[in-house]
């Protein structure tokens, strides 16, 4: 079960993030690809998508981090972004998802 050190997400949001972490790649990746729209997802869903990518690419294992530790890191990064139309956390999520697509589906 996911947890946050500084209670940045509610229990419901944590459950949503965990659900997305455990199912996003298998269930929804085929429709995402280059058409991925981070603005269509809630904050918790975006965090879960990031965790799914980090889990699938073994980033968590290499860095010896739990999903909860990575979630805390991602939430800290999110808090540093300004609320602007383009260079925002949504843009960062969009870049990570599209980079994952290029590296995995296109085998770059």
């Amino acid at each position: 079960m996911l947890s946050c050190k500084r209670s940045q997400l509610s229990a419901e949001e944590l459950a949503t993030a965990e659900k997305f972490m455990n199912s996003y790649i298998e269930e929804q990746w085929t429709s995402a690809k280059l058409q991925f729209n981070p603005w269509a997802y809630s904050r918790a869903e975006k965090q879960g998508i990031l965790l799914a990518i980090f889990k699938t690419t073994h980033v968590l294992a290499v860095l010896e981090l739990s999903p909860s530790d990575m979630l805390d890191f991602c939430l800290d990064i999110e808090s540093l972004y300004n609320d602007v139309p383009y260079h925002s956390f949504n843009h960062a999520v969009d870049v990570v998802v599209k980079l994952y697509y290029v590296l995995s589906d296109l085998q770059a």
Side-chain angles (χ1 to χ4, degrees):
M1 176 173 256
L2 284 175
S3 64
C4 294
K5 289 184 181 166
R6 289 175 290 289
S7 301
Q8 294 172 301
L9 295 178
S10 68
E12 182 179 316
E13 289 173 313
L14 285 170
T16 298
E18 186 164 17
K19 175 184 166 198
F20 266 70
M21 176 185 71
N22 291 326
S23 66
Y24 180 75
I25 299 297
E26 292 82 19
E27 294 176 12
Q28 299 177 1
W29 182 250
T30 56
S31 65
K33 300 190 180 187
L34 294 177
Q35 295 79 30
F36 178 78
N37 176 10
W39 287 269
Y41 295 91
S42 72
R43 178 182 187 209
E45 291 168 341
K46 286 182 275 202
Q47 294 293 343
I49 291 166
L50 290 175
L51 292 174
I53 290 171
F54 295 142
K55 182 179 173 184
T56 302
T57 57
H58 307 289
V59 169
L60 299 178
V62 169
L63 296 177
E64 298 178 358
L65 292 174
S66 71
S68 293
D69 289 337
M70 182 57 90
L71 177 60
D72 284 332
F73 176 74
C74 290
L75 289 167
D76 287 345
I77 295 299
E78 178 188 34
S79 73
L80 298 173
Y81 275 93
N82 293 321
D83 188 18
V84 295
Y86 185 71
H87 281 113
S88 62
F89 188 70
N90 283 326
H91 178 250
V93 172
D94 194 32
V95 169
V96 169
V97 168
K98 291 186 176 146
L99 179 60
Y100 176 76
Y101 168 69
V102 168
L103 294 174
S104 63
D105 270 15
L106 301 180
Q107 299 175 353

